[in-house]
Amino acid sequence: MSESTVLPIRKAAEEIGIPDIETLRRAAKKFGALILVAGLEYVDRERYDAGVQTVLLTKIEQAARRARTKSTGGRSMGLVKARTERAPGLIMAKESTIVAAKKQVEDAPTPYEKSRAKKTLAQLEASLKSQKENFAKDKAELDRLLNEEPE
């Protein structure tokens, strides 16, 4: 840290172009560039500039990373991955529920309960069909996202 880079906080605020000294004080403290000597505040300009550069680079990388994980429609690759990983387990659970519902239809003591069980069974089968269709769509979408060329 050389003498020419350490400036009183008011002079540093003028050079940097920040009208509010409190804003500069918080930022300089965040970057480790605020120096207190006998109650006087100084800003190490080199450390402050390095801190600002680091924050800017981080923001740029975050924006680039966010752009890479989104498809053109805005759907997140992570969401599609999670759905495709979770779908086989959900489909198996639905199939076991359908087996139990079929047994319930067979064992129903009254015609009313039998009709209700058939209705539930039909809903479960329709739900299973849509789950399988959505799983196929998600797999195709994931393949498209993974094979897509980054811009």
Side-chain angles (χ1 to χ4, degrees), residues 103-122:
K103 185 167 174 33
Q104 191 176 14
V105 168
E106 293 171 6
D107 296 343
T110 64
Y112 174 74
E113 289 178 9
K114 191 171 214 156
S115 70
R116 288 196 48 142
K118 283 182 181 179
K119 183 179 176 184
T120 303
L121 180 62

Side-chain angles (χ1 to χ4, degrees), residues 66-77 80 141 144-146 148-151:
R66 196 168 22 252
R68 268 197 318 267
T69 61
K70 297 258 183 179
S71 68
T72 54
R75 194 145 174 218
S76 173
M77 186 186 305
V80 176
E141 175 77 6
R144 185 186 68 77
L145 287 173
L146 291 174
E148 193 174 75
E149 290 297 319
E151 295 175 8

Side-chain angles (χ1 to χ4, degrees), residues 83-140:
R83 286 174 56 123
T84 55
E85 289 172 2
R86 193 162 179 237
L90 294 173
I91 289 172
M92 286 184 0
K94 185 73 71 173
E95 288 171 342
S96 66
T97 306
I98 288 175
V99 169
K102 285 181 181 178
K103 185 167 174 33
Q104 191 176 14
V105 168
E106 293 171 6
D107 296 343
T110 64
Y112 174 74
E113 289 178 9
K114 191 171 214 156
S115 70
R116 288 196 48 142
K118 283 182 181 179
K119 183 179 176 184
T120 303
L121 180 62
Q123 289 173 343
L124 287 170
E125 287 173 340
S127 174
L128 177 65
K129 181 182 174 191
S130 69
Q131 271 185 336
K132 286 182 177 181
E133 289 171 356
N134 288 339
F135 178 56
K137 287 178 192 174
D138 285 342
K139 279 185 79 169

